[in-house]
Amino acid sequence: MSYENLLIEKENGTAVVTINRPKALNALNEATVRELDKMIDEIEADQDVAVLIITGSGQKSFVAGADIVEMKDKNAMEGRDWGILAQGVFNKLENMKKPVIAAVNGYALGGGNELQMACDIRIAADNAKFGQPEVTLGITPGFGGTQRLPRLVSKGMAKKLLFTGAMIDAAEAYRIGLVDELVPADHLMAAAKKMAVKIQSVAPLAVQLCKSAVNRGINMDLQSGIQYEDEVWGLCFSTNDQKEGMQAFVEKRKAEFSGK
Ligand code: HXC
């Protein structure tokens, strides 16, 4: 498939997708969000890809938000449709069967922070900057930011970021749990790829079910979530990978997982 605003490289089971609009600091216009939608279908269907990494082109920016130039003259219904379109794509990304790592290489602002929050695991370069500056533009976040942010950091911290529109640096983002790993900028892709390799070394269906249990369970009450865990845990025992993983342990050898 061909893309105008995305670069896709596939190597050793990992796809690296780079959002590539460097002149606009990789801001998300509608065409790019539609391409992200297509890319998700492509990666999900590709048997040779086990893990997806999303990053931004250049050293300066992951994604500097939704494209303000494209958005500024929208009326209420058009603004709402734009939010619904991107929310749908971010939900689809969050619920992909395959694990998704955000490699945040610079500004992750507005829709950029919302994009990285829709990924499973976030690794930030030490020069990355984060924020939800929408209030400085007279709007609220519209790509899930008011909902995913308080689910990742404290409610008060989410409100502090949302109400002030202030930017925070990568160390602060790591401290508050907005990102999960902090690395020197020149090690970012190596760190993301290393994590992808590590994830590929374990049982793929078990990873997929862990993802489902966390994503679905976090929106349930505790007892319903634990019941759902019972179901996914039970399901594991129908897989060859469970037999192989435990047999390999008993035989003191490395397991060979087939993803079946
Ligand atoms: C369109 C953008 C952009 C954006 C940067 N650019 N961010 N274009 N949309 N979100 C463009 C600039 O216009 C400029 O183009 C070029 O990228 C370089 O940006 P500069 O501002 O010159 O760079 P710098 O001075 O280094 O400042 C970097 C920055 C600043 C701090 C990231 O660009 C900035 O504040 N950007 C906007 C961040 C933001 O508010 N994001 C949230 C958007 S709202 P030219 O042509 O002049 O060179 C949002 C809501 C989502 O995301 C929900 C909607 C429903």
Side-chain angles (χ1 to χ4, degrees):
M1 260 177 256
S2 70
Y3 297 89
E4 198 185 324
N5 301 318
L6 302 180
L7 304 172
I8 304 189
E9 287 167 69
K10 297 175 187 173
E11 197 185 354
N12 301 327
T14 298
V16 177
V17 171
T18 304
I19 297 167
N20 188 36
R21 296 187 72 220
K23 286 189 184 143
L25 300 184
N26 307 319
L28 296 176
N29 59 0
E30 186 176 328
T32 307
V33 169
R34 290 192 186 280
E35 287 192 356
L36 284 170
D37 191 30
K38 261 199 329 184
M39 175 279 291
I40 292 168
D41 291 337
E42 179 187 331
I43 298 297
E44 198 76 304
D46 190 334
Q47 303 287 325
D48 295 329
V49 174
V51 180
L52 169 61
I53 297 173
I54 298 185
T55 193
S57 74
Q59 306 294 317
K60 187 170 168 179
S61 184
F62 173 70
V63 168
D67 190 314
I68 299 167
V69 179
E70 188 184 76
M71 179 166 59
K72 71 182 183 27
D73 296 323
K74 286 192 189 300
N75 65 30
M77 291 312 287
E78 289 165 347
R80 184 168 167 269
D81 287 349
W82 171 220
I84 289 170
L85 170 74
Q87 281 172 2
V89 175
F90 287 15
N91 286 341
K92 186 164 154 180
L93 178 71
E94 185 169 52
N95 291 308
M96 280 181 77
K97 288 183 183 169
K98 295 175 184 175
V100 183
I101 299 169
V104 184
N105 56 308
Y107 291 115
L109 302 175
N113 192 45
E114 291 169 302
L115 176 64
Q116 68 109 21
M117 291 193 293
C119 298
D120 294 312
I121 301 169
R122 286 153 283 284
I123 306 180
D126 55 6
N127 65 341
K129 293 208 162 34
F130 300 80
Q132 295 290 159
E134 284 87 346
V135 288
T136 70
L137 298 165
I139 57 173
T140 67
F143 297 170
T146 61
Q147 302 308 305
R148 289 197 177 90
L149 189 57
R151 284 168 168 78
L152 277 176
V153 306
S154 72
K155 190 162 85 171
M157 188 60 80
K159 287 178 177 169
K160 182 173 137 183
L161 292 171
L162 291 165
F163 294 0
T164 63
M167 248 189 255
I168 57 171
D169 63 20
E172 175 69 353
Y174 181 61
R175 191 186 72 79
I176 66 176
L178 182 56
V179 296
D180 311 304
E181 201 169 302
L182 184 57
V183 296
D186 56 358
H187 281 82
L188 178 65
M189 285 318 295
K193 286 179 180 171
K194 187 172 167 198
M195 188 179 293
V197 167
K198 179 73 187 153
I199 294 171
Q200 284 188 60
S201 73
V202 299
L205 292 175
V207 172
Q208 191 182 306
L209 290 170
C210 280
K211 175 166 173 170
S212 173
V214 172
N215 280 4
R216 290 178 68 172
I218 207 151
N219 294 316
M220 295 177 186
D221 65 85
L222 180 63
Q223 287 314 315
S224 305
I226 284 175
Q227 274 174 15
Y228 183 59
E229 185 184 79
D230 289 343
E231 286 168 28
V232 301
W233 142 266
L235 201 54
C236 295
F237 286 81
S238 69
T239 66
N240 293 340
D241 282 351
Q242 176 270 325
K243 303 285 175 278
E244 165 62 10
M246 294 192 181
Q247 193 60 35
F249 176 82
V250 171
E251 292 172 10
K252 300 189 189 304
R253 62 173 172 82
K254 195 170 177 301
E256 300 270 347
F257 293 116
S258 62
K260 296 204 168 110

